[in-house]
Amino acid sequence: MSVNLKLLNAFLLVAEHRSFRRAAELSGRSQSALSLQVRELEGQLGAPLFHRTTRAVGLTPEGEALLPHARRANAELEAGLRRVRAAAAMEAGRLALGCPPHIAETVLPPLLAAFHRAHPRVAIHVREMPQAAVLEGVRRQDLEFGIGPRPAHAPSLGFAPLREEAILALAAPRFAPKGARSLPLAALGRLPILITSGANTMRAMVEEAAASIGTSFDPCCEVQMPATAIALAAEGLGVAVIPELALPRRRPPGLRVLPITDPPLLREVGIVQLRGSRLSPAATAFIGLLEAALTGPAA
């Protein structure tokens, strides 16, 4: 049975004050309108809720049975409304997002700190995981949104680009031609390469581009995180191939940062969310910080 909340509220007002007149004054409704709502509720329930006399209003046994449940239902509703209002004003609520670890390490820290200073009562949940896991978290609605490359073959997901990022080579001087400002992909294939393993979008992009010019590469070392590839490149083990947003703010000394060219390797990075979903005020505010931070070149 579906009961109109306005009818239940009318019952509560009369039951709490034991007076139709007083309940009408407090609710701003006429006494006849309030009486009509109570009678409508009684009709829906099939039982009288009040004893009405010229001097007093009392609860029937059915009304006594309904009253504690109605109070609890009303309290739960009020609590829910308070939570929604607090979340809308960002005095409470939750920000849940996912992204690859390199973005969590390099892009997010100053933005999360700024967001927390502005909205200290919003709980922040960041999931650092491979992009495939981020997309699945958004589909399941465990995450409100994700940050990362444009997903392929994902009709249930929407994508809003934030910036374009290059795939870079980080090389010690002995691996980079003197005076070079970029590194052709064919030349990269002749060098010892340090690259992330697995079926990630950057690895696939590099392999597809190499195949398109009739070359290939055999990594000398595969790692899980771009930060590891950078550290190994600093030790002279090889040339680290990383996405631009993985560049640390403090780069290891002695490494040259070279965009890969011929062809250039570029990809879009942006916000991924479930199609048709609406972002919370907290998510909207944080994405505003992301947009401001990612419109220029990576730090």
Side-chain angles (χ1 to χ4, degrees):
M1 176 185 295
S2 177
V3 173
N4 188 305
L5 289 174
K6 187 177 287 188
L7 303 185
L8 194 63
N9 180 257
F11 163 74
L12 276 171
L13 280 169
V14 177
E16 297 287 357
H17 298 282
R18 295 299 197 271
S19 166
F20 278 88
R21 181 184 60 79
R22 181 60 179 153
E25 289 172 354
L26 290 172
S27 65
R29 284 171 266 180
S30 69
Q31 190 169 328
S32 59
L34 198 67
S35 179
L36 185 63
Q37 288 174 336
V38 170
R39 288 190 183 281
E40 185 177 344
L41 178 61
E42 290 174 325
Q44 289 184 7
L45 298 176
L49 299 174
F50 294 103
H51 296 297
R52 299 167 177 83
T53 69
T54 54
R55 294 188 177 183
V57 174
L59 286 166
T60 65
E62 293 82 3
E64 291 284 3
L66 177 61
L67 182 59
H69 298 284
R71 282 172 173 161
R72 284 197 295 272
N74 191 59
E76 285 291 328
L77 178 61
E78 286 296 327
L81 293 174
R82 284 194 298 272
R83 289 186 64 180
V84 171
R85 292 186 189 109
M90 287 190 284
E91 296 169 355
R94 181 173 182 263
L95 174 67
L97 64 99
C99 62
H102 72 272
I103 291 178
E105 292 167 6
T106 61
V107 176
L108 293 192
L111 303 182
L112 290 172
F115 181 86
H116 179 69
R117 286 192 296 269
H119 311 290
R121 300 187 67 179
V122 175
I124 300 171
H125 299 263
V126 179
R127 300 283 301 277
E128 309 100 314
M129 58 182 95
Q131 186 68 359
V134 171
L135 301 183
E136 186 57 29
V138 173
R139 286 190 188 96
R140 292 197 310 265
Q141 296 184 282
D142 297 332
L143 305 171
E144 194 168 359
F145 66 93
I147 310 167
R150 179 185 289 275
H153 314 300
S156 65
L157 302 177
F159 180 79
L162 291 172
R163 65 165 290 162
E164 200 171 56
E165 74 167 342
I167 306 302
L168 305 174
L170 270 61
R174 71 189 184 95
F175 293 125
K178 189 174 182 179
R181 297 190 177 185
S182 63
L183 187 63
L185 184 58
L188 179 67
R190 297 190 292 270
L191 297 172
I193 292 175
L194 313 167
I195 196 167
T196 50
S197 61
N200 63 71
T201 58
M202 186 204 73
R203 176 71 176 265
M205 178 186 294
V206 175
E207 290 178 339
E208 288 171 10
S212 73
I213 62 170
T215 189
S216 61
F217 60 87
D218 186 18
C220 76
C221 184
E222 297 186 9
V223 297
Q224 292 295 315
M225 304 294 177
T228 307
I230 295 170
L232 293 175
E235 293 295 327
L237 184 60
V239 178
V241 177
I242 66 164
E244 188 177 359
L245 291 176
L247 278 176
R249 291 180 177 272
R250 295 182 179 178
R251 299 170 194 171
L255 287 182
R256 298 181 60 188
V257 179
L258 302 172
I260 298 170
T261 58
D262 304 324
L265 301 183
L266 301 169
R267 67 178 182 180
E268 286 183 304
V269 173
I271 301 298
V272 180
Q273 70 179 97
L274 194 65
R275 286 193 187 278
S277 66
R278 293 185 63 181
L279 294 172
S280 68
T284 301
F286 187 74
I287 288 172
L289 293 177
L290 273 170
E291 289 172 341
L294 296 183
T295 51

